[in-house]
Amino acid sequence: MKQRERRPGQKKTAGPSGESRRDDRAGRPPKPAARPAAGRETVRETAAPAPVSRPLMTRTGERPIERVPVILESLGAGDFHLIDSGNGQKLEQYGPYRIIRPEAQALWRPSLAPQIWEKVDAVFTGDTDEEGTGRWRFPREALGETWPLNLLGVDFLGRFTSFRHVGVFPEQIVHWSWMKDQVEQAGRPLKVLNLFGYTGVASLVAAAAGAEVTHVDASKKAIGWARENQALGRMEKLPIRWICEDAMKFILREERRGSQYDIILTDPPKFGRGPNGEVWHLFEHLPLMLDICREILSPKAAGLVLTAYSIRASFYSIHELMRETMRGAGGAVESGELVIREAGTDGRTAGRALSTSLFSRWVPQ
């Protein structure tokens, strides 16, 4: 699973939720407070100390039908497209800026001429490891820290950070488009849970489509960034609960409460260590996380989505886990890869496909 770049100012720590790139919790629970109106204030959920684990459920019945391999491909959308890639780098368009960042999977040579690669606004230099720090170089002129972007009709801020990311992972747009369609076609307000929700773009897409959204992330900085994005798009009145908490603790409590969601998006990292010695290992803890997610899916759920980055495994590993988790639930499990296809300088000339991640998605039919 992707050890995605950590967020600005963040220590290399993680709690049981696996927030190696997101967790800057203080290590102590906040004081109980009344819940403010949705979309207005960050909700800090509090409760008595919860168990960090429980036994896996014994599932019976047939496994869901399978659809494999499924390749979900994007040619870009809104203010983003992949221009070219090669020699361990990718050339991307984010709104008005052309950006070069490291990309280990780009083993081939670039398709476009060197002079096109030279005419860029920002280049990330430094450690090429996905968790390594570095700095941005601005060949043409100094740029501000943030700039406005738009995907699927949602405004948000791009940001140059020391961990090379810019605030959005555009390969996820295929999941967000699917989610948007489900919400708009449901004929009722769907409840969406966005675990490891990062800067909130998916949450804003869901809420703008008509969903009631619960956004969970262990990083206060990420929640702050998400709320900046909400304000930028003048979406403060949308029904979003911003919850700054460990994801595993949150879903365990939701299970005890009997809470239910119609769509769950989950994007946990590969490894993390928390401030109190908590350890998250994807291969150890993912089965329980999915097991709990199944328990809090509503009877009329539209889907459960898992994305996995930078793991030494085939998509079949998470595919078969998802099928076992959803045994007896009917429906189908579709699994494969998310890819972004090069789109050239015009954003429309299809080129090579760049694999970004693995995914598995349960749908009711």
Side-chain angles (χ1 to χ4, degrees):
M1 195 162 286
K2 173 161 66 175
Q3 282 285 74
R4 291 190 301 202
E5 301 88 348
R6 294 189 300 280
R7 295 168 186 172
Q10 207 168 317
K11 297 181 180 179
K12 198 171 183 178
T13 61
S17 69
E19 282 293 281
S20 65
R21 61 195 181 273
R22 302 167 179 162
D23 196 349
D24 58 1
R25 290 167 292 168
R28 59 182 182 273
K31 295 180 179 179
R35 178 175 298 174
R40 298 295 182 111
E41 299 291 340
T42 297
V43 179
R44 284 185 169 274
E45 294 282 352
T46 59
V52 296
S53 185
R54 67 152 173 78
L56 289 172
M57 297 287 187
T58 300
R59 306 290 180 186
T60 60
E62 296 294 321
R63 296 195 300 168
I65 63 173
E66 59 181 336
R67 299 172 186 152
V68 289
V70 176
I71 307 300
L72 298 181
E73 178 182 312
S74 171
L75 191 65
D79 287 342
F80 166 81
H81 69 269
L82 175 64
I83 300 171
D84 194 15
S85 59
N87 292 341
Q89 294 183 311
K90 54 187 175 183
L91 175 62
E92 303 165 291
Q93 189 80 43
Y94 282 97
Y97 300 145
R98 287 189 180 179
I99 294 170
I100 294 176
R101 295 190 292 165
E103 178 48 69
Q105 297 207 59
L107 303 175
W108 44 84
R109 294 180 180 179
S111 295
L112 300 179
Q115 54 265 35
I116 294 177
W117 282 72
E118 292 167 2
K119 294 179 181 179
V120 296
D121 299 286
V123 180
F124 184 85
T125 60
D127 195 330
T128 58
D129 180 82
E130 289 196 9
E131 284 295 298
T133 59
R135 65 184 183 86
W136 289 91
R137 178 170 59 86
F138 304 109
R140 305 174 74 173
E141 60 179 334
L143 301 177
E145 181 189 4
T146 64
W147 73 100
L149 290 170
N150 183 285
L151 286 178
L152 294 179
V154 167
D155 294 319
F156 61 99
L157 292 173
R159 179 175 266 118
F160 295 112
T161 76
S162 61
F163 295 96
R164 83 182 180 182
H165 70 83
V166 295
V168 64
F169 296 91
E171 65 272 15
Q172 293 279 349
I173 197 166
V174 290
H175 288 325
W176 302 343
S177 296
W178 167 84
M179 173 184 64
K180 184 174 183 287
D181 290 343
Q182 299 301 311
V183 172
E184 291 176 341
Q185 297 168 14
R188 62 185 175 92
L190 296 189
K191 294 183 67 177
V192 172
L193 174 60
N194 187 13
L195 291 176
F196 313 95
Y198 192 35
T199 58
V201 181
S203 297
L204 292 172
V205 168
E212 299 173 3
V213 181
T214 300
H215 173 109
V216 181
D217 199 291
S219 167
K220 290 181 288 187
K221 293 184 183 298
I223 294 288
W225 191 343
R227 290 176 59 77
E228 282 186 79
N229 290 337
Q230 184 183 31
L232 181 69
R234 297 181 180 180
M235 296 181 173
E236 292 93 338
K237 294 184 179 180
L238 291 181
I240 304 174
R241 292 194 299 159
W242 302 107
I243 297 178
C244 185
E245 190 179 1
D246 176 274
M248 186 70 90
K249 289 181 179 179
F250 176 78
I251 60 175
L252 278 165
R253 190 166 63 255
E254 289 293 89
E255 181 184 30
R256 293 195 304 273
R257 288 173 169 172
S259 300
Q260 294 184 327
Y261 297 89
D262 299 299
I263 295 175
I264 300 177
L265 304 180
T266 181
D267 179 20
K270 177 177 162 184
F271 172 80
R273 186 179 299 277
N276 297 316
E278 309 97 329
V279 175
W280 161 274
H281 285 287
L282 179 77
F283 289 102
E284 281 185 38
H285 300 127
L286 183 60
L288 177 59
M289 190 194 76
L290 287 181
D291 199 49
I292 299 168
C293 285
R294 171 170 176 178
E295 290 302 300
I296 60 176
L297 280 174
S298 73
K300 296 182 179 181
L304 169 59
V305 180
L306 168 67
T307 309
Y309 294 84
S310 298
I311 62 171
R312 294 185 178 181
S314 162
F315 70 82
Y316 268 109
S317 62
I318 58 173
H319 173 73
E320 296 296 0
L321 173 61
M322 184 71 82
R323 291 185 76 205
E324 288 296 328
T325 300
M326 301 306 296
R327 185 183 284 274
V333 171
E334 46 195 27
S335 308
E337 296 191 27
L338 303 184
V339 304
I340 295 178
R341 191 166 293 278
E342 296 168 347
T345 56
D346 61 1
R348 296 186 298 273
T349 304
R352 295 162 301 202
L354 181 65
S355 177
T356 64
S357 55
L358 310 179
F359 83 94
S360 186
R361 180 169 70 189
W362 173 82
V363 291
Q365 58 185 8

